[in-house]
Amino acid sequence: MKETVAVVGLGYVGLPLAVLAKEKGYEVIGLDSNADKVAAVNNQQAPIKDDRLAADLTTYPIKATTDPAAVSQADIIVIAVPTPVTKDKAPNLQPLVSAVETIRPHLKNGQVVIVESTINPGVMDEVVLPLLKQRADLTLDADDAKNGVYVLHCPERINPGDPKWSVRNIPRVIGGYSQTGLERGKAFYERIIEAEITPMQSVKEAEACKILENTFRDINIAFINEMAQSFAKLNIDIMNVIKGASTKPFAFMPHYPGNGVGGHCISVDPYYMIEKGRQVGFNHQFLKLARQINDHMPEYTVELMEEGLKAAGLATSDAKVALLGLAYKKDIDDLRESPALEVKKLLEEKGYKLNIFDPYVPAHSTVKSLDKALAGAHILMLATNHTEFVKELTAEKLKEAGIKIVVDGKNALDGEAISRAGIPYLGIGRKRLPV
Ligand code: SAJ
Protein backbone atom coordinates (compact mmCIF):
# COMPACT_ATOMS: atom_id res chain seq x y z
CA MET A 1 0.00 0.00 0.00
CA LYS A 2 1.47 3.34 -1.04
CA GLU A 3 2.46 5.56 1.86
CA THR A 4 1.24 9.15 1.80
CA VAL A 5 3.46 12.18 2.45
CA ALA A 6 2.04 15.58 3.34
CA VAL A 7 4.41 18.53 2.81
CA VAL A 8 3.50 21.66 4.78
CA GLY A 9 4.93 24.75 3.02
CA LEU A 10 5.33 24.71 -0.76
CA GLY A 11 8.33 27.03 -1.14
CA TYR A 12 11.97 26.59 -2.19
CA VAL A 13 12.31 23.69 0.23
CA GLY A 14 8.91 21.98 0.39
CA LEU A 15 7.95 21.93 -3.26
CA PRO A 16 11.07 20.20 -4.64
CA LEU A 17 10.77 17.66 -1.80
CA ALA A 18 7.08 17.02 -2.55
CA VAL A 19 7.75 16.46 -6.25
CA LEU A 20 10.66 14.16 -5.48
CA ALA A 21 8.54 12.08 -3.07
CA LYS A 22 5.91 11.75 -5.80
CA GLU A 23 8.59 10.67 -8.29
CA LYS A 24 9.80 8.04 -5.83
CA GLY A 25 6.35 6.49 -5.49
CA TYR A 26 4.66 8.19 -2.54
CA GLU A 27 1.16 9.63 -2.63
CA VAL A 28 1.80 13.32 -1.97
CA ILE A 29 -0.37 16.14 -0.64
CA GLY A 30 0.99 19.67 -0.64
CA LEU A 31 -0.33 22.03 2.02
CA ASP A 32 0.16 25.79 1.93
CA SER A 33 -1.68 28.73 3.47
CA ASN A 34 -1.22 30.70 0.21
CA ALA A 35 -4.16 29.92 -2.10
CA ASP A 36 -2.37 31.34 -5.16
CA LYS A 37 0.55 29.03 -4.60
CA VAL A 38 -1.85 26.07 -4.15
CA ALA A 39 -3.67 26.98 -7.37
CA ALA A 40 -0.37 27.24 -9.29
CA VAL A 41 0.79 23.83 -8.05
CA ASN A 42 -2.58 22.25 -8.91
CA ASN A 43 -2.12 23.67 -12.43
CA GLN A 44 1.36 22.15 -12.51
CA GLN A 45 2.95 25.61 -12.52
CA ALA A 46 5.98 26.34 -10.37
CA PRO A 47 5.21 29.30 -8.07
CA ILE A 48 8.94 30.02 -7.91
CA LYS A 49 11.26 30.59 -10.86
CA ASP A 50 12.91 27.20 -11.24
CA ASP A 51 12.84 25.60 -14.69
CA ARG A 52 13.73 22.14 -13.39
CA LEU A 53 10.95 22.28 -10.80
CA ALA A 54 8.47 23.43 -13.45
CA ALA A 55 9.35 20.40 -15.56
CA ASP A 56 9.15 18.01 -12.61
CA LEU A 57 5.78 19.43 -11.57
CA THR A 58 4.29 18.47 -14.91
CA THR A 59 5.89 15.02 -14.90
CA TYR A 60 5.01 14.32 -11.26
CA PRO A 61 1.93 16.42 -10.52
CA ILE A 62 0.95 16.73 -6.87
CA LYS A 63 -2.33 17.64 -5.23
CA ALA A 64 -2.14 20.84 -3.21
CA THR A 65 -4.63 22.30 -0.76
CA THR A 66 -5.05 25.03 1.85
CA ASP A 67 -7.07 22.62 4.02
CA PRO A 68 -4.95 21.33 6.93
CA ALA A 69 -7.34 18.41 7.43
CA ALA A 70 -5.52 16.79 4.53
CA VAL A 71 -2.64 15.82 6.82
CA SER A 72 -4.92 13.28 8.53
CA GLN A 73 -4.48 11.04 5.47
CA ALA A 74 -0.68 11.18 5.63
CA ASP A 75 1.75 8.63 7.06
CA ILE A 76 4.62 11.16 6.99
CA ILE A 77 4.25 14.92 7.44
CA VAL A 78 7.15 17.23 6.52
CA ILE A 79 7.07 20.84 7.74
CA ALA A 80 9.13 23.17 5.54
CA VAL A 81 8.05 26.69 6.39
CA PRO A 82 10.30 29.77 6.60
CA THR A 83 12.17 30.67 9.78
CA PRO A 84 13.00 34.31 9.07
CA VAL A 85 14.10 37.13 11.35
CA THR A 86 12.11 40.27 12.25
CA LYS A 87 13.29 43.68 11.02
CA ASP A 88 15.36 44.03 14.17
CA LYS A 89 17.00 40.66 13.49
CA ALA A 90 15.19 38.64 16.15
CA PRO A 91 14.28 35.02 15.30
CA ASN A 92 10.71 34.76 14.05
CA LEU A 93 9.29 31.31 14.73
CA GLN A 94 5.71 32.41 14.02
CA PRO A 95 5.43 30.61 10.65
CA LEU A 96 6.62 27.36 12.31
CA VAL A 97 4.36 27.80 15.32
CA SER A 98 1.30 28.46 13.17
CA ALA A 99 2.11 25.53 10.88
CA VAL A 100 2.25 23.14 13.85
CA GLU A 101 -0.90 24.65 15.42
CA THR A 102 -2.77 24.43 12.11
CA ILE A 103 -2.07 20.74 11.53
CA ARG A 104 -2.22 19.68 15.22
CA PRO A 105 -6.01 18.99 15.28
CA HIS A 106 -5.60 16.61 12.34
CA LEU A 107 -2.61 14.59 13.53
CA LYS A 108 -2.95 10.92 14.49
CA ASN A 109 -0.86 8.63 16.66
CA GLY A 110 1.42 6.52 14.46
CA GLN A 111 2.27 9.36 12.08
CA VAL A 112 5.80 10.70 11.51
CA VAL A 113 6.24 14.48 11.81
CA ILE A 114 9.51 15.88 10.43
CA VAL A 115 10.53 19.55 10.73
CA GLU A 116 12.91 20.63 7.94
CA SER A 117 12.92 24.35 8.65
CA THR A 118 16.25 25.73 9.88
CA ILE A 119 16.12 26.20 13.66
CA ASN A 120 18.59 26.62 16.49
CA PRO A 121 19.28 23.88 19.02
CA GLY A 122 16.37 23.72 21.46
CA VAL A 123 13.48 24.77 19.21
CA MET A 124 12.16 21.22 18.77
CA ASP A 125 12.31 20.51 22.52
CA GLU A 126 11.13 23.92 23.71
CA VAL A 127 8.67 25.00 21.02
CA VAL A 128 7.49 22.17 18.76
CA LEU A 129 6.98 19.40 21.37
CA PRO A 130 5.01 21.64 23.78
CA LEU A 131 2.73 22.67 20.89
CA LEU A 132 2.05 19.02 20.01
CA LYS A 133 1.46 18.09 23.65
CA GLN A 134 -1.44 20.55 23.80
CA ARG A 135 -3.46 17.77 22.16
CA ALA A 136 -3.91 15.47 25.15
CA ASP A 137 -4.90 12.45 23.07
CA LEU A 138 -1.64 12.53 21.09
CA THR A 139 1.24 10.53 22.56
CA LEU A 140 4.80 11.32 21.46
CA ASP A 141 7.85 9.13 21.03
CA ALA A 142 9.63 11.99 22.76
CA ASP A 143 7.76 10.79 25.87
CA ASP A 144 8.69 7.18 25.15
CA ALA A 145 5.21 6.45 23.83
CA LYS A 146 4.98 3.41 21.58
CA ASN A 147 3.02 4.01 18.40
CA GLY A 148 2.49 7.67 19.18
CA VAL A 149 3.55 10.51 16.90
CA TYR A 150 7.20 10.13 15.89
CA VAL A 151 8.84 13.57 15.85
CA LEU A 152 12.08 14.31 13.98
CA HIS A 153 14.24 17.16 12.66
CA CYS A 154 15.94 16.88 9.28
CA PRO A 155 17.37 20.31 8.41
CA GLU A 156 16.85 21.34 4.78
CA ARG A 157 19.89 21.68 2.57
CA ILE A 158 18.71 23.45 -0.55
CA ASN A 159 20.94 25.60 -2.66
CA PRO A 160 18.66 27.64 -4.92
CA GLY A 161 19.91 27.92 -8.47
CA ASP A 162 22.57 25.24 -8.07
CA PRO A 163 22.64 23.05 -11.19
CA LYS A 164 24.65 20.29 -9.49
CA TRP A 165 23.26 19.92 -5.96
CA SER A 166 19.53 19.45 -5.50
CA VAL A 167 17.23 17.84 -2.97
CA ARG A 168 17.69 14.50 -4.71
CA ASN A 169 21.45 14.23 -4.22
CA ILE A 170 22.37 16.34 -1.18
CA PRO A 171 23.30 14.24 1.88
CA ARG A 172 21.21 14.92 5.01
CA VAL A 173 21.46 14.62 8.77
CA ILE A 174 18.46 13.60 10.86
CA GLY A 175 17.68 13.64 14.57
CA GLY A 176 14.85 11.89 16.39
CA TYR A 177 13.52 11.04 19.85
CA SER A 178 13.30 7.28 19.43
CA GLN A 179 15.02 4.50 17.51
CA THR A 180 11.75 3.63 15.76
CA GLY A 181 11.17 7.23 14.80
CA LEU A 182 14.70 7.58 13.52
CA GLU A 183 14.38 4.39 11.49
CA ARG A 184 11.10 5.53 9.93
CA GLY A 185 12.43 9.00 9.15
CA LYS A 186 15.71 7.70 7.77
CA ALA A 187 13.86 5.14 5.60
CA PHE A 188 11.75 7.93 4.10
CA TYR A 189 14.77 10.02 3.11
CA GLU A 190 16.78 7.00 1.95
CA ARG A 191 13.92 6.11 -0.36
CA ILE A 192 13.83 9.53 -2.05
CA ILE A 193 17.41 10.84 -1.79
CA GLU A 194 20.40 9.28 -3.55
CA ALA A 195 22.85 10.30 -0.83
CA GLU A 196 23.94 9.46 2.71
CA ILE A 197 21.35 10.07 5.46
CA THR A 198 23.28 10.41 8.73
CA PRO A 199 21.41 9.87 12.03
CA MET A 200 22.60 12.23 14.78
CA GLN A 201 22.64 11.26 18.43
CA SER A 202 19.90 13.74 19.23
CA VAL A 203 17.46 16.20 17.71
CA LYS A 204 19.57 19.01 19.18
CA GLU A 205 22.62 17.77 17.29
CA ALA A 206 20.63 17.84 14.03
CA GLU A 207 19.50 21.40 14.75
CA ALA A 208 23.10 22.33 15.59
CA CYS A 209 24.48 20.85 12.34
CA LYS A 210 22.58 23.26 10.10
CA ILE A 211 23.38 26.25 12.32
CA LEU A 212 27.07 25.28 12.28
CA GLU A 213 27.07 24.86 8.47
CA ASN A 214 25.55 28.25 7.82
CA THR A 215 27.31 30.30 10.49
CA PHE A 216 30.55 28.76 9.19
CA ARG A 217 29.74 30.25 5.80
CA ASP A 218 28.75 33.65 7.18
CA ILE A 219 31.95 34.09 9.20
CA ASN A 220 34.12 32.97 6.31
CA ILE A 221 32.48 35.47 4.01
CA ALA A 222 32.92 38.16 6.67
CA PHE A 223 36.58 37.17 6.99
CA ILE A 224 37.24 37.64 3.28
CA ASN A 225 35.20 40.85 3.23
CA GLU A 226 37.46 42.23 5.95
CA MET A 227 40.61 41.12 4.14
CA ALA A 228 39.29 42.69 0.91
CA GLN A 229 38.91 46.09 2.59
CA SER A 230 42.38 45.89 4.11
CA PHE A 231 44.09 44.71 0.91
CA ALA A 232 42.34 47.47 -1.05
CA LYS A 233 44.18 50.00 1.13
CA LEU A 234 47.45 48.28 0.19
CA ASN A 235 46.41 48.23 -3.48
CA ILE A 236 46.59 44.42 -3.46
CA ASP A 237 44.02 42.51 -5.57
CA ILE A 238 42.25 40.06 -3.27
CA MET A 239 40.99 37.90 -6.16
CA ASN A 240 44.58 37.20 -7.22
CA VAL A 241 45.53 36.48 -3.61
CA ILE A 242 42.58 34.06 -3.15
CA LYS A 243 43.69 32.31 -6.33
CA GLY A 244 47.23 32.12 -4.96
CA ALA A 245 46.12 30.91 -1.52
CA SER A 246 43.92 28.28 -3.20
CA THR A 247 47.01 26.58 -4.58
CA LYS A 248 47.47 25.30 -1.05
CA PRO A 249 45.96 21.80 -1.36
CA PHE A 250 44.80 21.63 2.25
CA ALA A 251 43.43 23.78 5.08
CA PHE A 252 42.32 26.68 2.92
CA MET A 253 38.74 27.12 1.65
CA PRO A 254 38.13 30.08 -0.70
CA HIS A 255 35.26 32.48 -0.09
CA TYR A 256 34.75 35.65 -2.07
CA PRO A 257 34.22 39.30 -1.10
CA GLY A 258 31.17 41.14 -2.35
CA ASN A 259 28.62 43.84 -1.70
CA GLY A 260 27.05 41.80 1.13
CA VAL A 261 25.38 38.57 2.15
CA GLY A 262 21.73 37.93 1.33
CA GLY A 263 19.33 35.05 1.25
CA HIS A 264 17.09 33.28 3.70
CA CYS A 265 19.88 31.12 5.13
CA ILE A 266 23.33 32.59 5.59
CA SER A 267 22.30 36.12 6.56
CA VAL A 268 19.54 34.85 8.88
CA ASP A 269 20.57 31.64 10.63
CA PRO A 270 23.37 33.20 12.75
CA TYR A 271 20.77 35.37 14.53
CA TYR A 272 19.02 32.20 15.77
CA MET A 273 22.26 31.01 17.39
CA ILE A 274 23.14 34.49 18.72
CA GLU A 275 19.74 34.70 20.44
CA LYS A 276 19.90 31.14 21.80
CA GLY A 277 23.39 31.86 23.13
CA ARG A 278 22.09 35.01 24.84
CA GLN A 279 19.29 33.01 26.49
CA VAL A 280 21.81 30.58 27.99
CA GLY A 281 24.31 33.28 28.95
CA PHE A 282 26.77 32.97 26.08
CA ASN A 283 27.78 36.00 24.02
CA HIS A 284 28.44 35.04 20.40
CA GLN A 285 30.80 37.95 19.77
CA PHE A 286 32.34 36.34 16.65
CA LEU A 287 28.99 35.59 14.99
CA LYS A 288 27.81 39.12 15.79
CA LEU A 289 30.96 40.71 14.39
CA ALA A 290 30.66 38.65 11.19
CA ARG A 291 27.08 39.87 10.75
CA GLN A 292 28.21 43.48 11.28
CA ILE A 293 31.00 43.14 8.70
CA ASN A 294 28.74 41.51 6.11
CA ASP A 295 25.89 43.96 6.76
CA HIS A 296 28.31 46.87 6.23
CA MET A 297 29.31 45.75 2.72
CA PRO A 298 26.49 47.54 0.85
CA GLU A 299 27.61 50.82 2.47
CA TYR A 300 31.24 50.03 1.71
CA THR A 301 30.30 49.47 -1.93
CA VAL A 302 28.49 52.81 -2.23
CA GLU A 303 31.40 54.61 -0.50
CA LEU A 304 33.73 52.97 -3.02
CA MET A 305 31.57 54.35 -5.83
CA GLU A 306 31.60 57.88 -4.42
CA GLU A 307 35.36 57.85 -3.95
CA GLY A 308 35.61 56.73 -7.59
CA LEU A 309 33.32 59.54 -8.73
CA LYS A 310 35.47 62.08 -6.89
CA ALA A 311 38.70 60.62 -8.30
CA ALA A 312 37.21 60.74 -11.81
CA GLY A 313 36.06 64.33 -11.23
CA LEU A 314 32.45 63.35 -11.88
CA ALA A 315 29.79 65.45 -10.19
CA THR A 316 27.61 63.28 -8.01
CA SER A 317 24.50 65.46 -8.31
CA ASP A 318 23.55 64.61 -11.88
CA ALA A 319 25.20 61.17 -11.99
CA LYS A 320 22.82 58.46 -13.22
CA VAL A 321 23.41 54.91 -12.01
CA ALA A 322 22.61 51.72 -13.92
CA LEU A 323 21.85 49.45 -10.97
CA LEU A 324 22.11 45.91 -12.35
CA GLY A 325 20.69 43.12 -10.24
CA LEU A 326 18.37 42.98 -7.24
CA ALA A 327 18.32 39.25 -6.36
CA TYR A 328 20.59 38.06 -3.53
CA LYS A 329 22.56 35.74 -5.75
CA LYS A 330 23.01 34.95 -9.42
CA ASP A 331 20.40 33.47 -11.73
CA ILE A 332 17.51 33.37 -9.24
CA ASP A 333 14.63 35.77 -8.44
CA ASP A 334 14.86 35.75 -4.62
CA LEU A 335 15.11 39.18 -3.00
CA ARG A 336 15.21 38.06 0.63
CA GLU A 337 17.81 40.04 2.63
CA SER A 338 19.40 40.96 -0.72
CA PRO A 339 22.37 43.35 -0.38
CA ALA A 340 21.37 44.82 -3.76
CA LEU A 341 18.22 46.21 -2.13
CA GLU A 342 20.39 47.90 0.52
CA VAL A 343 22.63 49.36 -2.20
CA LYS A 344 19.49 50.64 -3.99
CA LYS A 345 18.19 52.23 -0.77
CA LEU A 346 21.53 53.95 -0.09
CA LEU A 347 21.78 55.30 -3.64
CA GLU A 348 18.22 56.62 -3.52
CA GLU A 349 18.83 58.27 -0.13
CA LYS A 350 21.86 60.01 -1.66
CA GLY A 351 19.69 61.33 -4.49
CA TYR A 352 21.13 59.37 -7.40
CA LYS A 353 18.86 58.76 -10.37
CA LEU A 354 18.63 55.00 -11.03
CA ASN A 355 17.96 52.78 -14.00
CA ILE A 356 17.20 49.48 -12.23
CA PHE A 357 17.25 46.20 -14.15
CA ASP A 358 17.13 42.59 -12.97
CA PRO A 359 15.90 40.14 -15.61
CA TYR A 360 14.74 37.80 -12.84
CA VAL A 361 12.86 40.54 -11.00
CA PRO A 362 10.93 42.54 -13.64
CA ALA A 363 8.39 43.75 -11.08
CA HIS A 364 11.02 45.77 -9.23
CA SER A 365 12.99 46.87 -12.31
CA THR A 366 12.43 50.40 -13.63
CA VAL A 367 13.59 49.51 -17.15
CA LYS A 368 13.00 46.41 -19.22
CA SER A 369 16.40 45.65 -20.66
CA LEU A 370 20.10 45.88 -20.07
CA ASP A 371 20.48 48.39 -22.90
CA LYS A 372 17.76 50.59 -21.43
CA ALA A 373 19.52 50.41 -18.06
CA LEU A 374 22.80 51.56 -19.61
CA ALA A 375 21.16 54.33 -21.69
CA GLY A 376 22.12 57.71 -20.24
CA ALA A 377 23.87 56.17 -17.23
CA HIS A 378 27.29 57.40 -16.09
CA ILE A 379 27.87 54.74 -13.44
CA LEU A 380 27.44 50.97 -13.69
CA MET A 381 26.73 49.37 -10.30
CA LEU A 382 26.77 45.59 -10.66
CA ALA A 383 24.86 44.31 -7.63
CA THR A 384 24.06 40.72 -8.69
CA ASN A 385 26.33 38.60 -10.89
CA HIS A 386 23.62 37.12 -13.10
CA THR A 387 25.21 35.05 -15.89
CA GLU A 388 23.52 37.28 -18.48
CA PHE A 389 25.22 40.39 -17.08
CA VAL A 390 28.66 38.83 -16.94
CA LYS A 391 28.30 37.72 -20.55
CA GLU A 392 26.89 40.97 -21.95
CA LEU A 393 28.83 43.61 -20.02
CA THR A 394 31.95 43.69 -22.16
CA ALA A 395 34.33 46.65 -22.10
CA GLU A 396 33.23 47.56 -25.65
CA LYS A 397 29.58 47.64 -24.68
CA LEU A 398 30.28 49.81 -21.65
CA LYS A 399 32.44 52.18 -23.72
CA GLU A 400 29.73 52.44 -26.36
CA ALA A 401 27.12 53.16 -23.71
CA GLY A 402 29.25 56.03 -22.37
CA ILE A 403 29.71 54.51 -18.92
CA LYS A 404 32.20 56.61 -16.95
CA ILE A 405 32.86 54.29 -13.99
CA VAL A 406 32.18 50.63 -13.16
CA VAL A 407 31.54 49.41 -9.59
CA ASP A 408 31.56 45.61 -9.53
CA GLY A 409 29.85 44.47 -6.33
CA LYS A 410 30.52 40.80 -7.09
CA ASN A 411 33.95 41.03 -8.73
CA ALA A 412 32.33 39.34 -11.71
CA LEU A 413 33.38 41.56 -14.64
CA ASP A 414 36.64 41.78 -16.58
CA GLY A 415 38.22 44.69 -14.74
CA GLU A 416 41.45 44.62 -16.77
CA ALA A 417 39.59 44.95 -20.11
CA ILE A 418 37.30 47.65 -18.71
CA SER A 419 40.30 49.65 -17.49
CA ARG A 420 42.10 49.18 -20.80
CA ALA A 421 39.00 50.69 -22.45
CA GLY A 422 39.67 53.79 -20.31
CA ILE A 423 36.87 53.24 -17.78
CA PRO A 424 37.81 53.22 -14.09
CA TYR A 425 36.92 49.79 -12.63
CA LEU A 426 36.24 49.46 -8.91
CA GLY A 427 35.80 45.95 -7.52
CA ILE A 428 35.57 44.80 -3.91
CA GLY A 429 39.14 44.44 -2.71
CA ARG A 430 40.57 44.88 -6.19
CA LYS A 431 43.70 46.87 -7.01
CA ARG A 432 43.22 50.20 -8.74
CA LEU A 433 44.05 49.69 -12.41
CA PRO A 434 45.57 52.45 -14.58
CA VAL A 435 43.07 53.78 -17.13
N1 SAJ B 1 28.36 35.15 -0.82
C1 SAJ B 1 29.52 35.91 -0.74
N2 SAJ B 1 30.73 35.28 -0.81
C2 SAJ B 1 30.82 33.92 -0.93
C3 SAJ B 1 29.63 33.17 -1.01
C4 SAJ B 1 28.41 33.79 -0.95
O1 SAJ B 1 29.47 37.12 -0.62
O2 SAJ B 1 31.94 33.41 -1.01
C5 SAJ B 1 27.06 35.81 -0.72
C6 SAJ B 1 26.17 35.61 -1.93
O3 SAJ B 1 26.37 36.65 -2.87
C7 SAJ B 1 24.76 35.69 -1.32
C8 SAJ B 1 24.97 35.15 0.09
O4 SAJ B 1 26.37 35.25 0.37
O5 SAJ B 1 24.30 37.02 -1.24
C9 SAJ B 1 24.50 33.72 0.28
O6 SAJ B 1 25.07 32.99 -0.77
P1 SAJ B 1 25.07 31.37 -0.73
O7 SAJ B 1 25.85 30.89 -1.89
O8 SAJ B 1 25.44 30.89 0.61
O9 SAJ B 1 23.57 31.01 -1.08
P2 SAJ B 1 22.36 30.60 -0.19
O10 SAJ B 1 21.96 31.67 0.76
O11 SAJ B 1 21.34 30.08 -1.12
O12 SAJ B 1 22.94 29.42 0.71
C10 SAJ B 1 22.61 28.10 0.42
C11 SAJ B 1 22.63 27.48 1.78
N3 SAJ B 1 22.04 26.18 1.75
C12 SAJ B 1 21.35 25.81 2.83
O13 SAJ B 1 21.13 26.55 3.77
C13 SAJ B 1 20.85 24.45 2.80
C14 SAJ B 1 24.04 27.36 2.29
O14 SAJ B 1 24.06 26.50 3.43
C15 SAJ B 1 24.96 26.79 1.27
O15 SAJ B 1 26.28 26.79 1.81
C16 SAJ B 1 24.93 27.67 0.05
O16 SAJ B 1 23.58 27.60 -0.47
C17 SAJ B 1 25.93 27.21 -0.97
O17 SAJ B 1 26.87 26.49 -0.59
O18 SAJ B 1 25.82 27.66 -2.11
Side-chain angles (χ1 to χ4, degrees):
M1 194 347 219
K2 266 191 181 184
E3 281 200 300
T4 300
V5 179
V7 177
V8 183
L10 299 177
Y12 286 84
V13 176
L15 199 49
L17 183 84
V19 171
L20 180 61
K22 179 73 188 275
E23 178 188 332
K24 298 293 184 181
Y26 285 95
E27 278 308 319
V28 178
I29 308 160
L31 178 65
D32 200 291
S33 54
N34 179 319
D36 295 342
K37 203 175 274 190
V38 165
V41 171
N42 282 329
N43 292 330
Q44 282 99 55
Q45 282 151 3
I48 46 182
K49 189 160 177 39
D50 180 330
D51 300 342
R52 161 128 188 218
L53 180 61
D56 288 350
L57 256 176
T58 43
T59 317
Y60 305 104
I62 59 167
K63 287 192 302 298
T65 177
T66 55
D67 176 8
V71 303
S72 60
Q73 306 152 34
D75 302 289
I76 298 164
I77 297 148
V78 179
I79 300 174
V81 295
T83 43
V85 286
T86 61
K87 63 183 179 334
D88 45 23
K89 306 295 182 191
N92 174 6
L93 286 170
Q94 195 43 50
L96 179 60
V97 169
S98 34
V100 177
E101 287 175 336
T102 307
I103 65 170
R104 179 173 57 203
H106 312 287
L107 295 177
K108 294 186 302 198
N109 285 323
Q111 286 177 321
V112 174
V113 174
I114 305 169
V115 173
E116 284 213 357
S117 306
T118 304
I119 47 182
N120 59 268
V123 169
M124 291 300 288
D125 289 1
E126 297 153 20
V127 177
V128 175
L129 291 184
L131 287 171
L132 293 172
K133 288 179 184 174
Q134 285 178 31
R135 233 192 80 188
D137 60 333
L138 280 185
T139 57
L140 305 180
D141 67 335
D143 297 328
D144 299 329
K146 297 280 171 283
N147 245 331
V149 176
Y150 298 95
V151 184
L152 297 117
H153 177 54
C154 180
E156 59 94 355
R157 276 184 180 161
I158 285 280
N159 183 22
D162 188 323
K164 177 166 182 268
W165 294 107
S166 76
V167 62
R168 63 176 65 239
N169 65 355
I170 297 174
R172 305 289 287 268
V173 297
I174 186 167
Y177 291 100
S178 67
Q179 201 44 44
T180 308
L182 210 45
E183 279 154 17
R184 285 186 63 180
K186 190 163 173 285
F188 164 62
Y189 285 103
E190 280 176 339
R191 185 164 157 197
I192 66 171
I193 293 175
E194 298 130 36
E196 185 79 29
I197 308 299
T198 303
M200 304 304 292
Q201 288 193 9
S202 68
V203 166
K204 270 205 175 99
E205 283 187 357
E207 292 166 320
C209 272
K210 179 64 185 291
I211 290 289
L212 188 73
E213 289 159 26
N214 282 7
T215 50
F216 171 85
R217 193 161 172 81
D218 197 44
I219 58 171
N220 275 283
I221 297 168
F223 158 69
I224 204 70
N225 279 334
E226 175 167 296
M227 296 311 286
Q229 295 172 70
S230 148
F231 286 0
K233 293 227 180 274
L234 298 168
N235 207 24
I236 295 170
D237 190 308
I238 188 119
M239 295 302 277
N240 295 340
V241 176
I242 291 168
K243 216 179 286 168
S246 300
T247 60
K248 181 179 177 188
F250 51 85
F252 177 75
M253 186 175 177
H255 286 74
Y256 299 93
N259 58 5
V261 173
H264 56 297
C265 307
I266 309 303
S267 59
V268 165
D269 298 347
Y271 292 113
Y272 276 74
M273 195 63 235
I274 290 166
E275 173 52 19
K276 187 62 193 173
R278 189 194 64 76
Q279 288 170 7
V280 294
F282 183 80
N283 175 22
H284 267 291
Q285 50 184 340
F286 191 18
L287 301 190
K288 286 179 191 169
L289 180 58
R291 289 279 73 240
Q292 277 166 28
I293 292 170
N294 286 335
D295 277 356
H296 173 67
M297 293 315 285
E299 210 171 322
Y300 175 81
T301 306
V302 172
E303 281 161 10
L304 194 68
M305 179 193 92
E306 295 205 304
E307 283 157 24
L309 281 173
K310 226 183 296 171
L314 283 164
T316 57
S317 49
D318 57 1
K320 184 162 216 177
V321 182
L323 175 62
L324 300 182
L326 292 172
Y328 81 82
K329 78 175 187 178
K330 72 174 183 175
D331 304 343
I332 63 171
D333 63 356
D334 195 339
L335 294 176
R336 284 177 288 184
E337 312 288 328
S338 175
L341 295 179
E342 189 57 26
V343 168
K344 171 177 172 288
K345 184 166 141 288
L346 291 167
L347 291 173
E348 284 168 343
E349 282 166 2
K350 289 171 178 288
Y352 289 93
K353 293 180 284 304
L354 305 181
N355 287 345
I356 302 170
F357 178 58
D358 186 321
Y360 291 84
V361 195
H364 295 266
S365 300
T366 58
V367 293
K368 297 200 176 329
S369 74
L370 181 55
D371 289 340
K372 287 221 171 36
L374 294 174
H378 310 89
I379 305 159
L380 185 140
M381 173 67 83
L382 185 87
T384 312
N385 50 330
H386 290 313
T387 304
E388 166 181 341
F389 289 159
V390 179
K391 220 167 52 223
E392 307 264 324
L393 291 171
T394 61
E396 296 68 35
K397 186 177 186 76
L398 296 172
K399 194 79 186 155
E400 243 167 68
I403 293 291
K404 298 277 177 277
I405 188 165
V406 169
V407 182
D408 186 352
K410 296 293 184 194
N411 290 337
L413 303 178
D414 182 349
E416 307 264 345
I418 291 169
S419 309
R420 280 197 303 277
I423 306 172
Y425 169 86
L426 302 173
I428 308 295
R430 310 305 300 275
K431 70 176 186 293
R432 279 179 299 287
L433 300 161
V435 289

